[in-house]
Amino acid sequence: MLIERAYAHVASAPPDEWPWSVPCVRELLEDGLRFTAPVTFLVGENGSGKSTLVEALAEGFGLDSYGGSHDWRYASPRPKSPLGERVRFDPTAHGRRMMSDWAARKGFFLRAETALDALGREGVGPDSISHGEGFLAAFRDRFTRPGLYVMDEPEAALSFTSCLELIGHLNRLVESGGQVVCATHSPLLTALPGADIIEVGEHGTRRTAWSDLALVDHWRRYLADPRSYLRHILD
């Protein structure tokens, strides 16, 4: 692992203003977020703040909020978010060595809505392949070296079997010394053995087991009886 804890300090954070009003952000300011495994999944409903959190973590590590690798800089750099510019890390011994040398720092921020453009700028060539294949090309070609890999809903473009392939890539990545923080809605990805799962919501953050995730329970019940859900939508 590279980082053990992320935190942020703000002299004055109005509790009714975004992003300071988001419960998981408030926790980051008060207690920080600890990482206990090489892969951490952040799971929660839309609007829970998990994307705000992963973007700030990526920015704190020196990754472009638009997406891409640590080596890439866009022609019109975007300013960091108010939270991202304040994020700091407690690194492990290995992480301290990497983070003390900008040239040695490695990582990638993959966000679903900008992934293809970011990959094209880095030479993956998504114009000649499908959306999902472009994602997998990034995992094969860019997610290979020890570093911090931050992802925001990577399953968005992937089929069931492609998600399974991604799990294999993630496992090989952490075996080589990488660390992953991933916001996701996928019950497939979160089933990766040994991953730390953090549920994000109005409560802030809390660690949970895969079998206790609300999204896993909903998918089980929906697949067993779609009508029990659809009758509330269609009738």
Coordinates of all heavy atoms in Angstrom, one line a residue, residues 17 37 49 62-63 66 74 78 100 105 112 120 127 132 144 152 169 190 196 198 204 214 230 232:
E17 N -22.6 24.7 3.0 CA -22.1 25.0 1.7 C -21.4 23.8 1.1 O -20.7 23.1 1.9 CB -21.2 26.2 1.7 CG -21.8 27.5 2.0 CD -20.9 28.7 1.9 OE1 -19.8 28.5 1.3 OE2 -21.2 29.8 2.3
A37 N -6.8 -1.8 3.2 CA -6.5 -2.8 2.2 C -6.0 -2.2 0.9 O -6.3 -1.0 0.6 CB -7.8 -3.6 1.9
G49 N -21.9 11.6 -2.4 CA -20.6 12.2 -2.3 C -19.4 11.4 -2.6 O -18.3 11.8 -2.5
G62 N -2.1 14.5 -7.1 CA -1.5 15.2 -8.2 C -2.0 14.8 -9.6 O -1.4 15.0 -10.6
L63 N -3.2 14.1 -9.6 CA -3.8 13.7 -10.8 C -4.8 14.7 -11.3 O -5.4 15.4 -10.5 CB -4.5 12.3 -10.6 CG -3.6 11.2 -10.2 CD1 -4.5 10.0 -9.8 CD2 -2.6 10.8 -11.2
Y66 N -9.8 15.9 -14.6 CA -10.4 15.5 -15.8 C -10.2 14.0 -16.1 O -11.0 13.3 -16.8 CB -9.9 16.3 -17.0 CG -10.7 16.1 -18.3 CD1 -11.9 16.8 -18.4 CD2 -10.2 15.3 -19.3 CE1 -12.7 16.6 -19.6 CE2 -11.0 15.2 -20.5 CZ -12.2 15.8 -20.6 OH -12.9 15.7 -21.8
Y74 N -2.8 18.6 -19.2 CA -3.6 19.2 -20.3 C -3.2 20.6 -20.7 O -2.6 21.3 -19.9 CB -5.1 19.1 -19.9 CG -5.6 17.7 -19.9 CD1 -5.6 17.0 -18.7 CD2 -6.1 17.1 -21.1 CE1 -6.0 15.7 -18.7 CE2 -6.6 15.8 -21.0 CZ -6.5 15.1 -19.9 OH -7.0 13.8 -19.8
R78 N -7.1 22.5 -15.4 CA -8.2 22.9 -14.5 C -7.7 23.2 -13.1 O -6.9 22.4 -12.6 CB -9.3 21.9 -14.5 CG -9.9 21.6 -15.9 CD -10.7 20.3 -15.9 NE -11.3 20.2 -17.2 CZ -10.7 19.9 -18.4 NH1 -9.4 19.7 -18.4 NH2 -11.4 19.8 -19.5
S100 N 7.6 11.6 -2.3 CA 8.7 12.6 -2.1 C 9.4 13.0 -3.4 O 10.1 14.0 -3.5 CB 9.7 12.1 -1.1 OG 10.4 11.0 -1.6
R105 N 6.4 9.4 -8.8 CA 5.0 9.3 -8.4 C 4.2 8.8 -9.6 O 4.2 9.3 -10.7 CB 4.4 10.6 -8.0 CG 3.1 10.5 -7.3 CD 2.6 11.9 -6.8 NE 3.5 12.5 -5.9 CZ 3.1 13.4 -5.0 NH1 1.9 13.9 -5.0 NH2 4.0 14.0 -4.2
A112 N -15.7 7.8 -15.6 CA -16.4 7.3 -16.7 C -16.7 8.3 -17.8 O -16.6 8.0 -19.0 CB -17.8 6.7 -16.1
G120 N -7.6 8.7 -25.2 CA -7.1 9.1 -26.5 C -5.9 10.0 -26.5 O -5.0 9.9 -27.3
D127 N -10.7 5.6 -30.6 CA -11.5 5.8 -31.8 C -11.7 4.5 -32.6 O -12.7 4.4 -33.3 CB -10.9 6.9 -32.7 CG -11.0 8.3 -32.0 OD1 -11.8 8.4 -31.1 OD2 -10.2 9.1 -32.4
G132 N -16.3 0.1 -24.2 CA -15.8 -0.9 -23.2 C -14.4 -1.4 -23.5 O -13.6 -1.5 -22.5
T144 N -0.4 -0.9 -14.8 CA 0.6 -1.9 -14.7 C 1.7 -1.7 -13.6 O 2.3 -2.7 -13.2 CB 1.3 -2.1 -16.1 OG1 1.9 -0.9 -16.5 CG2 0.3 -2.6 -17.1
D152 N -13.7 6.2 -10.9 CA -15.1 6.7 -10.6 C -16.0 5.9 -11.6 O -16.1 6.2 -12.8 CB -15.2 8.2 -10.8 CG -16.5 8.7 -10.3 OD1 -17.3 7.9 -9.7 OD2 -16.8 9.9 -10.5
H169 N -7.6 -7.7 -13.5 CA -6.6 -6.6 -13.7 C -6.3 -6.0 -12.3 O -5.2 -5.7 -12.0 CB -7.1 -5.6 -14.7 CG -7.1 -6.0 -16.1 ND1 -6.0 -6.6 -16.7 CD2 -8.1 -6.0 -17.0 CE1 -6.3 -6.9 -18.0 NE2 -7.6 -6.5 -18.2
T190 N -17.3 -5.1 -6.3 CA -17.1 -5.1 -4.8 C -16.9 -6.5 -4.2 O -16.6 -6.6 -3.0 CB -18.3 -4.4 -4.2 OG1 -19.5 -4.9 -4.7 CG2 -18.3 -2.9 -4.4
D196 N -11.6 -3.7 0.8 CA -12.3 -2.9 1.9 C -13.4 -2.2 1.3 O -13.3 -1.5 0.3 CB -11.3 -2.0 2.5 CG -11.8 -1.3 3.8 OD1 -12.8 -1.9 4.4 OD2 -11.3 -0.3 4.2
I198 N -16.5 0.5 1.7 CA -17.0 1.6 2.6 C -18.3 2.1 2.0 O -18.3 2.5 0.8 CB -16.0 2.7 2.7 CG1 -14.7 2.2 3.3 CG2 -16.5 3.9 3.4 CD1 -13.5 3.2 3.3
G204 N -22.5 9.4 6.5 CA -21.0 9.7 6.3 C -20.5 8.4 5.7 O -20.8 8.1 4.5
A214 N -26.5 -2.8 0.6 CA -27.8 -2.6 0.1 C -27.9 -2.9 -1.4 O -28.9 -3.5 -1.8 CB -28.3 -1.1 0.4
L230 N -40.7 -3.4 -10.4 CA -41.2 -2.7 -11.6 C -42.7 -2.3 -11.4 O -43.1 -1.3 -12.0 CB -41.1 -3.6 -12.9 CG -39.6 -3.8 -13.3 CD1 -39.6 -4.7 -14.5 CD2 -38.9 -2.5 -13.6
H232 N -43.9 -0.8 -9.0 CA -44.0 0.5 -8.4 C -43.6 1.6 -9.4 O -44.0 2.7 -9.2 CB -43.0 0.6 -7.2 CG -43.3 -0.4 -6.1 ND1 -44.4 -0.2 -5.3 CD2 -42.6 -1.5 -5.8 CE1 -44.4 -1.2 -4.4 NE2 -43.3 -2.0 -4.7

